[in-house]
Amino acid sequence: MWFKSGALLLLALVALANGNTTSPGTPISTQRKVLCYYEGSTALREGLGKSIIADIEPALPLCTHLIYGYAGINADSYNVRSLNEALDLDSGKGQYRAVTTELKRRFPSLKVLLGVGFFKDPTDEKTADKYLTLLESGGSRTAFINSLYALVKSYNFDGADLAWQFRQTKPKKIRGIGGSLWHGFKKVFSGDSVLDPKADEHKEAFTVLIRDLRNAFEHDRLQVGLTVLPHVNESMFMDAFLLKDSVEYVHLAAFDQKTPERNPSEADYTSPLYEPTGDGERIAANNVDAEVRYWLTNKTPPNKIVVGIASYGRGWKLPEDSGPVPPVTVDGPSPAGPYTNESGRYSYAEICTQLPGSRLSTLDGAAPLQKQGEPKKAGLYAYRVKDKKKKLKGMWVAYEGPESAAEKGAYVKAKGLGGISIFDLSNDDFRGLCTDEKFPILKAAKNMM
């Protein structure tokens, strides 16, 4: 009898330790998280890129959290506000109410959070300034917390995901020995190396803000999620050791390491799992594993770390004399695609429909892209060389596909981490245009956890 009871206890402990348990009735807290981001404004797109709430519903059984974005900050009052009131609020089309009430009725275990920031909140000044100024005053922090609490409660959100818009680090330029020496000399006298002269003050105040927000939310069991944005120096702005106890999860948005806006003349992998191999100077910290190790070193519980997976890619113009192996010499962002309508940024559906074997061609109606990459380490890329005779423009695209997303899911499982995120559902192939399978990136990553 004792042996049987002991065996049952051992099995129960093993099941509890395995964060991939998803049997009916299992509490969300013992499962690995799947954060599914949804940018509400994609409902305003035209054509096949338009993504309304009904379009994302088939993905939700795979998601533990839906983060609806985005809210921002009023620069005068520091109150939280919808960035598209006509779309989100009850006085408009009421999408807040649709995701918190209608979706939670259909998916009772789904937690729906309000996304704040994520570099979606523009301002007349530098994007980060009002986010930094807010931190400098107890009154401003209180106004932010009170307004966020009121908005979350009014619309029945289960909490908030804060992607604080700190100042981004400057792109690292590739320089020769002489150029590096001159640049270092110039920085000493120009002071342009100082990203934030009040960094220590802002770091401490951000910890206080998150702690106070957790205390304000705790009575109603509302969740506080933290997203670490790309190109934000967390060692400068975030006290990882202290923050870990005040948040439900730490979402590492470790993608967009190279973008056409920041790096118009050099293309590379945008979200490598490990440091890429090959020629060229790279920043060793710009990969998922390095980000994860940083937070683990600062005693963040592994089950709180969520690895971000972008469901879109970045594209550059590929000159005639450039080879395809990254890092690649390029000539600015490639033309806008028909769905996202944004130069140098393509949804996965816009990319996969340009790969061989696709049922549909979308980018520019030209020849398919050649697919390359190393999904287990650095990621995927595809390219097309310039052909003057056929009037084909050269293009080079770094992206996340099902193969590389699956590797990140497997990485999360192997490291015992808290889960994955998909950023976002509207950029995955939610219509099944390429292979008749909807949400292939989400499914591939989820299936490997």
Side-chain angles (χ1 to χ4, degrees):
M1 187 66 164
W2 181 90
F3 175 79
K4 184 181 292 185
S5 300
L8 289 173
L9 177 61
L10 180 60
L11 288 173
L13 291 173
V14 170
L16 184 62
N18 182 1
N20 199 34
T21 302
T22 57
S23 59
T26 303
I28 291 296
S29 59
T30 65
Q31 298 177 12
R32 287 200 170 91
K33 294 178 176 63
V34 180
L35 310 182
C36 295
Y37 287 77
Y38 172 60
E39 187 169 355
S41 63
T42 59
L44 303 176
R45 288 176 180 169
E46 300 293 335
L48 293 177
K50 183 183 182 73
S51 174
I52 61 175
I53 292 172
D55 291 323
I56 68 170
E57 284 194 38
L60 298 183
L62 302 175
C63 307
T64 60
H65 293 66
L66 176 68
I67 291 88
Y68 179 92
Y70 287 92
I73 297 172
N74 185 303
D76 298 319
S77 65
Y78 299 110
N79 288 344
V80 178
R81 62 186 179 89
S82 161
L83 294 179
N84 195 327
E85 295 184 356
L87 179 69
D88 295 331
L89 303 187
D90 287 344
S91 57
K93 294 186 177 181
Q95 284 207 157
Y96 276 174
R97 194 74 64 188
V99 295
T100 59
T101 303
E102 297 175 20
L103 289 184
K104 286 204 291 182
R105 187 184 300 120
R106 295 188 183 93
F107 308 96
S109 64
L110 183 70
K111 298 296 183 183
V112 183
L113 275 56
L114 177 64
V116 180
F118 223 115
F119 292 140
K120 300 290 182 177
D121 184 11
T123 177
D124 292 337
E125 303 174 4
K126 292 180 180 178
T127 302
D129 281 358
K130 63 182 175 183
Y131 283 79
L132 296 181
T133 305
L134 183 154
L135 296 175
E136 296 170 6
S137 162
S140 299
R141 295 195 299 268
T142 299
F144 172 84
I145 290 171
N146 289 344
S147 62
L148 179 55
Y149 175 82
L151 189 60
V152 164
K153 287 290 289 181
S154 296
Y155 284 95
N156 198 32
F157 284 100
D158 294 305
D161 176 283
L162 264 62
W164 209 255
Q165 295 183 180
F166 291 108
R167 288 177 182 160
Q168 297 183 69
T169 56
K170 295 180 180 179
K172 183 177 178 63
K173 296 180 179 179
I174 306 302
R175 297 182 174 91
I177 296 176
S180 296
L181 291 173
W182 167 246
H183 181 69
F185 176 80
K186 186 176 69 171
K187 284 201 298 185
V188 171
F189 292 95
S190 67
D192 68 353
S193 62
V194 180
L195 185 65
D196 177 13
K198 297 182 179 180
D200 290 341
E201 175 187 343
H202 293 148
K203 183 177 185 176
E204 182 178 351
F206 185 67
T207 302
V208 173
L209 175 74
I210 297 296
R211 183 200 64 200
D212 290 350
L213 179 62
R214 180 206 61 189
N215 292 338
F217 276 16
E218 197 168 31
H219 179 267
D220 296 285
R221 297 184 178 180
L222 300 171
Q223 297 186 3
V224 177
L226 173 64
T227 290
V228 183
L229 292 171
H231 307 295
V232 166
N233 185 339
E234 59 258 71
S235 65
M236 175 182 289
F237 291 115
M238 298 180 184
D239 192 325
F241 182 77
L242 295 180
L243 286 170
K244 68 183 187 302
D245 296 324
S246 297
V247 296
E248 179 77 11
Y249 58 81
V250 177
H251 168 218
L252 305 180
F255 41 77
D256 280 356
Q257 300 304 327
K258 289 279 188 176
T259 70
E261 296 79 19
R262 289 174 58 88
N263 316 94
S265 60
E266 183 182 72
D268 207 338
Y269 296 105
T270 63
S271 53
L273 182 54
Y274 296 100
E275 184 178 1
T277 54
D279 298 328
E281 182 179 349
R282 289 187 168 101
I283 304 173
N286 282 358
N287 60 78
V288 172
D289 184 63
E291 284 280 294
V292 168
R293 284 188 282 109
Y294 173 82
W295 285 86
L296 290 175
T297 301
N298 282 277
K299 307 303 181 183
T300 306
N303 64 0
K304 282 195 175 185
I305 296 176
V306 174
V307 171
I309 300 174
S311 56
Y312 60 86
R314 296 291 189 171
W316 290 260
K317 296 176 185 175
L318 184 65
E320 190 174 8
D321 56 351
S322 287
V325 179
V328 181
T329 301
V330 288
D331 188 21
S334 50
Y339 301 164
T340 56
N341 196 29
E342 183 179 342
S343 298
R345 186 179 187 273
Y346 304 120
S347 67
Y348 177 65
E350 288 173 314
I351 297 168
C352 68
T353 50
Q354 280 291 98
L355 299 177
S358 172
R359 301 186 299 113
L360 185 67
S361 179
T362 63
L363 283 183
D364 56 15
L369 301 171
Q370 297 184 51
K371 180 178 176 181
Q372 299 289 334
E374 43 182 16
K376 289 187 177 182
K377 184 169 185 175
L380 299 170
Y381 67 90
Y383 67 95
R384 182 180 65 228
V385 296
K386 187 175 183 179
D387 189 329
K388 290 182 178 180
K389 293 181 178 180
K390 296 183 178 180
K391 298 182 179 180
L392 295 180
K393 298 178 180 178
M395 181 184 296
W396 196 94
V397 183
Y399 67 99
E400 198 85 72
E403 306 98 314
S404 57
E407 293 296 336
K408 289 181 178 175
Y411 172 87
V412 165
K413 182 178 180 179
K415 298 289 185 180
L417 304 181
I420 58 163
S421 83
I422 300 298
F423 185 78
D424 68 9
L425 294 179
S426 68
N427 285 312
D428 204 344
D429 187 10
F430 66 90
R431 296 187 186 277
L433 297 177
C434 292
T435 61
D436 288 328
E437 180 185 31
K438 296 182 179 181
F439 300 101
I441 291 179
L442 167 61
K443 290 178 180 178
K446 166 71 175 176
N447 288 342
M448 292 301 294
M449 282 203 308

